[in-house]
């Protein structure tokens, strides 16, 4: 039988927008073989998701337009069909049955008014025409296969009652419900904890091996691709710039864009002064022509590597400075269950007797899975969440004992950059209005004109343009919005900044730019940071010392490099093991194991 499952030939998907045409997918060709996992990688806007949405015929026309090409699906019976030529009613027979898709954000893909079980059963009822009792039994079986705990409970649960990883498993169960030949997974692990990400990747690998289905796995992270793909396609500005077996791409990348994507993820075996970015490997002139900078990934990394002696000297110098912040026996509890009369019957110990110090000029990393208490610590330090017990002392003053007016003054020195830049910015306010708002509240400068001039300077500081002041948040990319939030945090000229998962949902290339910016600002303005993330590789890159959190308590505290190189707790080892490293040795072992399983 023909080993070919899907052929994409000279596909062009354009969007008609005000002022012209956006060539989201511009004349690309690739194939998907039966039983293989094809990775498609690139930054946001590279066209990777649009290419797969085109295969599903999920592009709205207009404004979208299939400007050319074919998408040929080779059916198990030996016949083939061009999906782009099918009438929509006919195309619906292929969606779900033959080609299924897991979308990027499970919460927006699941209907909040139906239980998870009802939604999966609905797909079975629609495509397989089974009786409701059999549809429910099959749904429960699928929940067990995707390793959801207590399938009966999940069946009756609503999406908001599940964690991010559990919702993603429900989406995988729904996609698998009709035993498709091809599964398209669109960024299924973005913004998930690294441990949850690892289990999702293992699950997709296991399901692919057990069922023999083909998979297209879309992501911006080549480290993730290394954990799952057999072949890789690299996309840039709507075109394919490189493709080949995963081992070849990692061992000998040819295109400068691929080199940039490989280099910009924080490495674990060495400490860097800054992360390489895509523009270090390729330049673009005024006409958009790409120029190649002839340098290998290893050469680039060696240029920015920090020697161990330098790291040790910095730690020693920081330890000799007085602590700017002291957290003593901090406890933050939330009511878990209340009686009919409102009396609290049980508590969630979000932060449970935590103590640490932060020295002036230091970056202290807080790392752990969702629910470990790291974000609650940050919010409690700033009195955004009330503490149950304990003390937070900033420059000798007890934060919890300050009056409202004193706390308002203190907040000039203590700022926070939140996880989601879009929800942090008022969509009805221009960027300029958002940045000058804290200046108005604190009475800094005399007129709004002066404040706008200050806002323009702040935008320049974060590598943005003054003309952006009159635009609204929706007009910017995720990375640009995060830079705007950083500019707003800098408006009051603080000494101490808490960065709460401030890069978790960004492309790795954009993430590298934001992390470099934070380090550059720390060196320029002598900031002190608490950097919160679930990704230990990012925390290790940013931090001088690291706190590993688990279930509200501190598991380990010490120099970041020391904790990574010599972890003493099993939980820390689990976090380290879950990091997708993208090393050649790890790829070779995975490929050998897959070959062994397939042979058996």
């Amino acid at each position: 039988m023909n080993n070919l499952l899907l052929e994409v030939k000279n596909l062009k998907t354009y969007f008609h927008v005000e002022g012209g045409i956006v060539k989201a997918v511009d004349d690309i060709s690739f194939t998907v073989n039966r039983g293989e996992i094809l990775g498609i990688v690139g930054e946001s806007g590279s066209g990777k998701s649009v290419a797969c949405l085109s295969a599903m015929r999920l592009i709205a026309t207009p404004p979208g337009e299939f400007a050319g090409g074919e998408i040929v699906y080779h059916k198990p019976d030996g016949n083939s069909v061009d999906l782009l030529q099918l009438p929509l009613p006919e195309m619906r027979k292929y969606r779900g049955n033959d080609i299924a898709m897991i979308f990027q954000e499970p919460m927006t893909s699941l209907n909040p008014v139906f239980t998870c079980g009802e939604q999966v059963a609905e797909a079975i009822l629609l495509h397989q025409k089974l009786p409701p009792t059999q549809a429910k039994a099959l749904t429960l079986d699928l929940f067990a296969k995707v390793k959801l705990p207590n399938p009966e409970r999940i069946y009756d649960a609503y999406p908001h009652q599940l964690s991010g990883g559990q919702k993603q498993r429900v989406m995988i169960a729904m996609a698998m419900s009709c035993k498709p030949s091809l599964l398209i997974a669109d960024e299924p692990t973005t913004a998930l904890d690294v441990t949850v990400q690892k289990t999702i990747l293992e699950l997709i690998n296991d399901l692919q091996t057990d069922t023999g289905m083909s998979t297209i796995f879309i992501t911006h992270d080549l480290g993730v691709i290394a954990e799952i793909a057999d072949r890789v396609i690299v996309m840039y500005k709507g075109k394919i710039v490189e493709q080949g077996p995963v081992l070849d791409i990692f061992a000998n990348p040819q295109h400068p864009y691929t080199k940039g994507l490989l280099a910009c993820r924080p490495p674990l075996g060495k400490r860097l002064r800054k992360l390489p970015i895509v523009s270090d490997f390729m330049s673009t002139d005024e006409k958009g022509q790409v120029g190649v900078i002839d340098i290998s990934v290893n050469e680039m990394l060696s240029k920015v590597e920090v020697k161990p002696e330098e790291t040790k000297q910095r730690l020693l110098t920081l330890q000799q400075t007085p602590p700017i912040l002291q957290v003593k026996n901090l406890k933050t509890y939330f009511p878990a269950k209340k009686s009919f009369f409102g009396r609290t019957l049980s508590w969630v110990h979000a932060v449970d007797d935590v103590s640490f110090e932060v020295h002036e000029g230091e970056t202290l990393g807080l790392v752990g899975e969702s629910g470990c208490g790291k974000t609650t610590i940050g919010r409690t330090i700033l009195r955004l969440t009330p503490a149950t017990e304990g003390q937070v002392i900033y420059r000798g003053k007890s934060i919890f004992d300050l009056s409202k007016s004193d706390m308002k003054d203190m907040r000039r020195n203590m700022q926070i950059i939140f996880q989601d830049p879009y929800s942090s910015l008022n969509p009805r306010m221009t960027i300029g209005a958002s940045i000058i708002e804290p200046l108005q509240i604190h009475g800094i400068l005399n007129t709004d004109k002066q404040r706008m001039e200050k806002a323009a300077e702040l935008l320049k500081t974060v590598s943005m343009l003054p003309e952006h002041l009159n635009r609204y948040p929706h007009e910017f990319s995720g990375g640009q919005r995060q830079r705007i939030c950083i500019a707003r945090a800098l408006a009051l000229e603080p000494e101490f900044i808490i960065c709460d998962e401030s890069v978790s949902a960004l492309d790795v290339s954009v993430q590298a730019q934001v992390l470099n910016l934070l380090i550059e600002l720390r060196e320029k303005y002598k900031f002190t940071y608490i950097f919160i993330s679930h990704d230990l590789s990012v925390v290790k890159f940013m931090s001088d010392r690291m706190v590993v959190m688990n279930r509200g308590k501190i598991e380990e505290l010490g120099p970041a490099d020391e904790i990574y190189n010599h972890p003493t707790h099993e939980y820390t080892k689990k976090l380290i093991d879950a990091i997708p490293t993208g090393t050649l040795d790890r790829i070779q072992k995975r490929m050998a194991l897959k070959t062994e399983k397939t042979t058996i």
Side-chain angles (χ1 to χ4, degrees):
M1 187 171 66
N2 186 359
N3 197 41
L4 210 55
L5 180 67
L6 191 76
E7 282 184 283
V8 176
K9 301 177 181 179
N10 307 111
L11 178 66
K12 298 177 183 179
T13 306
Y14 298 167
F15 290 91
H16 295 269
V17 297
E18 189 177 341
I21 295 175
V22 174
K23 297 182 178 181
V25 173
D26 191 15
D27 196 16
I28 68 168
S29 300
F30 65 89
T31 58
V32 183
N33 296 317
R34 296 183 188 277
E36 82 165 340
I37 298 179
L38 176 71
I40 302 182
V41 69
E43 297 171 286
S44 295
S46 63
K48 56 190 188 298
S49 293
V50 173
C52 292
L53 288 169
S54 299
M56 293 287 285
R57 292 281 299 278
L58 292 175
I59 301 293
T61 53
E65 174 199 2
F66 296 116
E70 301 173 65
I71 299 178
V72 181
Y73 173 67
H74 295 272
K75 297 190 282 187
D77 62 9
N79 294 315
S80 56
V81 59
D82 183 355
L83 299 177
L84 292 182
Q85 300 303 318
L86 288 176
L88 278 177
E90 190 71 18
M91 181 63 204
R92 292 190 187 105
K93 295 177 183 178
Y94 288 90
R95 287 194 203 122
N97 267 332
D98 296 279
I99 306 174
M101 191 163 187
I102 306 166
F103 294 97
Q104 182 169 353
E105 178 45 67
M107 192 64 203
T108 57
S109 302
L110 292 168
N111 193 321
V113 301
F114 292 101
T115 68
C116 295
E118 287 172 338
Q119 296 183 62
V120 177
E122 180 187 24
I124 296 169
L125 291 167
L126 179 66
H127 288 284
Q128 299 193 33
K129 313 296 183 186
L130 294 177
T133 52
Q134 287 187 35
K136 180 175 180 179
L138 183 54
T139 300
L140 291 171
D141 182 52
L142 285 164
F143 283 173
K145 281 183 178 175
V146 299
K147 301 175 184 176
L148 278 165
N150 195 343
E152 289 279 359
R153 183 187 72 81
I154 300 293
Y155 188 96
D156 295 323
Y158 289 90
H160 72 272
Q161 296 174 303
L162 305 183
S163 69
Q166 288 174 331
K167 284 195 284 279
Q168 199 60 280
R169 287 167 189 267
V170 169
M171 290 300 301
I172 294 171
M174 188 184 295
M176 297 296 298
S177 62
C178 297
K179 300 178 181 177
S181 300
L182 175 63
L183 175 68
I184 300 172
D186 186 8
E187 300 268 16
T189 60
T190 298
L192 294 179
D193 291 347
V194 285
T195 48
V196 178
Q197 173 179 272
K198 183 184 178 186
T199 59
I200 295 294
L201 294 176
E202 288 174 347
L203 173 60
I204 293 174
N205 260 320
D206 291 344
L207 290 171
Q208 188 272 331
T209 303
D210 294 343
T211 64
M213 70 177 180
S214 301
T215 303
I216 295 177
F217 194 97
I218 302 168
T219 181
H220 60 260
D221 190 343
L222 269 167
V224 172
I225 285 289
E227 299 292 309
I228 195 166
D230 301 314
R231 283 193 302 123
V232 186
I233 287 172
V234 183
M235 289 194 68
Y236 176 68
K237 292 187 177 180
K239 293 184 178 292
I240 293 174
V241 296
E242 188 164 359
Q243 59 180 307
V246 63
L247 196 57
D248 291 354
I249 295 292
F250 276 78
N252 188 25
Q254 297 299 305
H255 198 276
Y257 181 68
T258 311
K259 294 178 184 178
L261 290 181
L262 282 168
C264 64
R265 184 170 177 81
L268 288 162
K270 57 187 77 175
R271 179 169 285 273
L272 304 183
R273 205 174 311 281
K274 69 166 195 170
L275 288 171
I277 57 176
V278 171
S279 61
D280 290 329
F281 295 87
M282 56 191 289
S283 59
T284 307
D285 62 21
E286 294 176 358
K287 296 180 180 179
Q289 297 296 314
V290 173
V292 176
I293 299 170
D294 188 18
I295 187 169
S296 71
V297 173
N298 288 333
E299 285 175 320
M300 178 59 72
L301 293 178
S302 65
K303 286 176 65 176
V304 292
E305 186 174 356
V306 178
K307 292 183 171 60
E309 312 85 69
E310 192 178 335
T311 302
K312 288 178 183 177
Q313 184 57 49
R314 175 175 165 81
L315 277 169
L316 186 63
T317 303
L318 288 169
Q319 292 298 311
Q320 291 171 348
T321 62
I324 192 172
L325 180 80
Q326 296 168 287
V327 176
K328 299 182 178 180
N329 307 109
L330 186 64
K331 297 179 182 180
T332 306
Y333 298 168
F334 298 109
K337 189 176 179 182
K338 291 189 175 184
S339 68
F340 179 78
F341 298 102
R343 186 169 65 88
T344 301
L345 300 176
S346 62
W347 299 85
V348 174
H349 293 198
V351 179
D352 196 11
D353 198 17
V354 165
S355 300
F356 60 83
E357 294 180 344
V358 186
H359 294 268
E360 192 164 359
E362 179 181 31
T363 299
L364 180 76
L366 294 185
V367 67
E369 298 171 288
S370 294
C372 70
K374 56 189 187 298
T375 291
T376 305
I377 287 177
R379 293 180 65 86
T380 305
I381 287 171
L382 296 177
R383 265 177 61 175
L384 299 175
T385 297
T388 305
E389 283 183 32
Q391 289 181 291
V392 173
I393 298 169
Y394 183 81
R395 290 205 181 277
K397 293 183 179 180
S398 174
I399 294 292
F400 300 153
D401 294 333
L402 295 177
S403 65
K404 282 187 177 181
S405 61
D406 288 340
M407 189 62 210
K408 179 183 173 184
D409 293 337
M410 181 63 77
R411 285 210 170 102
R412 286 188 61 172
N413 296 321
M414 306 172 76
Q415 288 290 302
I416 185 168
I417 302 166
F418 292 101
Q419 178 172 358
D420 183 358
Y422 194 73
S423 60
S424 304
L425 296 167
N426 189 327
R428 297 182 179 181
M429 292 173 66
T430 64
I431 298 310
S434 292
I435 294 175
I436 70 168
E437 186 179 33
L439 298 173
Q440 292 169 328
I441 290 170
H442 288 273
I444 297 172
L445 302 177
N446 297 320
T447 66
D448 279 349
K449 183 183 177 183
Q450 291 176 322
R451 294 175 186 126
M452 275 296 182
E453 289 171 357
K454 172 78 171 176
E457 290 176 21
L458 289 166
L459 283 182
K460 288 180 183 176
T461 301
V462 297
S463 303
M464 292 189 69
L465 302 173
E467 48 262 39
H468 290 153
L469 288 171
N470 295 319
R471 297 186 188 176
Y472 289 86
H474 72 271
E475 298 179 71
F476 296 92
S477 68
Q480 287 174 319
R481 285 196 290 264
Q482 197 60 279
R483 288 171 182 269
I484 291 160
C485 289
I486 293 170
R488 186 175 61 179
L490 298 179
L492 298 176
E493 299 180 3
E495 304 172 308
F496 174 79
I497 299 176
I498 295 176
C499 304
D500 182 13
E501 296 275 17
S502 51
V503 296
S504 64
L506 300 178
D507 288 352
V508 286
S509 53
V510 179
Q511 172 183 280
Q513 294 172 28
V514 174
L515 293 177
N516 287 342
L517 173 63
L518 290 170
I519 287 180
E520 182 185 317
L521 293 172
R522 183 187 68 187
E523 300 308 310
K524 184 176 180 180
Y525 297 106
K526 308 303 179 187
F527 288 141
T528 303
Y529 288 136
I530 287 182
F531 190 89
I532 300 169
S533 178
H534 62 262
D535 189 337
L536 193 141
S537 63
V538 171
V539 171
K540 177 181 174 294
F541 168 73
M542 283 294 297
S543 306
D544 299 297
R545 289 185 304 134
M546 189 191 299
V547 175
V548 181
M549 295 284 301
N550 184 23
R551 296 182 180 180
K553 293 183 178 291
I554 291 177
E555 291 277 353
E556 291 194 55
L557 192 162
D561 291 355
E562 183 66 25
I563 286 180
Y564 172 73
N565 292 323
H566 306 289
T568 58
H569 287 70
E570 284 303 316
Y571 179 74
T572 311
K573 292 175 184 176
K574 184 178 82 167
L575 287 180
I576 292 170
D577 184 57
I579 300 168
T581 59
T583 60
L584 298 181
D585 181 56
R586 189 151 158 171
I587 295 171
Q588 288 169 331
K589 286 180 180 176
R590 178 180 67 79
M591 299 299 284
L593 185 62
K594 181 170 182 175
T595 303
E596 184 182 322
K597 284 182 178 178
T598 306
T599 306
I600 293 171

